[in-house]
Amino acid sequence: ASSAPRLWRALDAAPPGRERFRRAVLLQNDEAGDVPNLGPLTCCVIVSDDNDAVVYKARFPFSPEFEEAGENYMEVWARLACTNGEDQDGFSPETNYTAVTPEISLPFPAVTKDEETSREYPLSHPNLRATVLVERTDGCIAKLIEMRFRKRFCCSGSSDPGYLCVLWSETAYADWRFKIAMDLTSPRSMPFVARAPTEGRVFAVAINARPTSIPHQNL
């Protein structure tokens, strides 16, 4: 197996990350297709920056929910979603997400922009990358998807005690279409100070997937 990327070091449970990466490569290269039923799977979400520094890691049961997206056409997505189980910067957890206690939840540096507007997230922060892994009970683990975020918008209002930003991206991979949305929160200073240092934290992550064979009017 090839050398394990630094990101896999975040998998500190037994077996350690490097061994899990080796098993993932072997599993990926196994063309037999005879995968035993090893019980419930676990979804692991890791968020890291450009230097592979992990700022968020959470595990929760791999149990996708299915929902329709849109009223004018039939489109069913499978969704995996987790949210921190406690309020963060004045925002309450998403009620329809799996509540988790993150194994890693570290602040990342951010800087306020020149002005505070309701249309744009008023902070600049490092480019973040989300990696979604699936773990089996025998210790094997495989990467489901890895994505950088292309769009961002502010969801908080002027009366909220903090800022809430949603990062969003969509891509096609291996006959599947993936969408990932990640909620970030930051404290709000009153009054607003331009170009002031602050920090942000990951609050929730939602992964949506569907086969590309299903038509999508927006593609």
Side-chain angles (χ1 to χ4, degrees):
S2 55
S3 299
R6 287 182 294 172
L7 175 64
W8 288 75
R9 297 177 185 174
L11 298 171
D12 49 7
R18 183 170 293 278
E19 172 61 15
R20 288 191 172 207
F21 179 76
R22 186 187 71 83
R23 295 186 186 189
V25 173
L26 294 177
L27 181 64
Q28 178 178 336
N29 295 334
D30 182 9
E31 299 179 356
D34 185 15
V35 179
N37 183 5
L38 297 171
L41 301 176
T42 299
C43 182
C44 180
V45 175
I46 297 177
V47 179
S48 56
D49 61 17
D50 287 331
N51 297 318
D52 279 345
V54 176
V55 299
Y56 185 83
K57 182 178 75 168
R59 286 184 171 97
F60 57 100
F62 186 88
S63 181
E65 297 181 354
F66 297 88
E67 60 179 15
E68 294 182 7
E71 298 179 355
N72 298 325
Y73 56 95
M74 293 300 295
E75 181 182 333
V76 178
W77 291 82
R79 186 184 69 183
L80 292 163
C82 69
T83 182
N84 295 355
E86 299 180 352
D87 290 1
Q88 184 169 297
D89 293 320
F91 296 98
S92 300
E94 295 277 0
T95 57
N96 57 342
Y97 287 13
T98 301
V100 298
T101 300
E103 299 174 33
I104 297 175
S105 181
L106 300 176
F108 50 84
V111 178
T112 59
K113 295 183 179 179
D114 290 335
E115 59 181 347
E116 183 180 30
T117 66
S118 60
R119 295 182 179 180
E120 184 180 3
Y121 189 50
L123 300 175
S124 297
H125 54 74
N127 292 323
L128 300 176
R129 180 177 74 252
T131 305
V132 183
L133 309 166
V134 179
E135 298 178 283
R136 299 193 329 194
T137 55
D138 65 345
C140 288
I141 187 167
K143 182 166 65 176
L144 180 64
I145 191 69
E146 183 174 275
M147 193 178 296
R148 294 186 182 275
F149 297 94
R150 300 178 180 178
K151 300 180 181 179
R152 66 186 66 186
F153 52 91
C154 187
C155 295
S156 52
S158 58
S159 60
D160 289 323
Y163 296 116
L164 176 64
C165 171
V166 175
L167 305 186
W168 180 86
S169 193
E170 182 173 357
T171 189
Y173 177 74
D175 298 326
W176 283 82
R177 194 81 192 175
F178 290 92
K179 295 192 297 186
I180 297 183
M182 183 167 66
D183 294 354
L184 307 179
T185 67
S186 301
R188 183 193 295 266
S189 60
M190 299 295 289
F192 179 79
V193 178
R195 301 181 184 180
T198 182
E199 60 187 26
R201 285 192 299 161
V202 177
F203 189 41
V205 182
I207 307 102
N208 294 271
R210 66 167 181 83
T212 54
S213 58
I214 300 177
H216 189 334
Q217 66 179 26
N218 295 329
L219 296 182

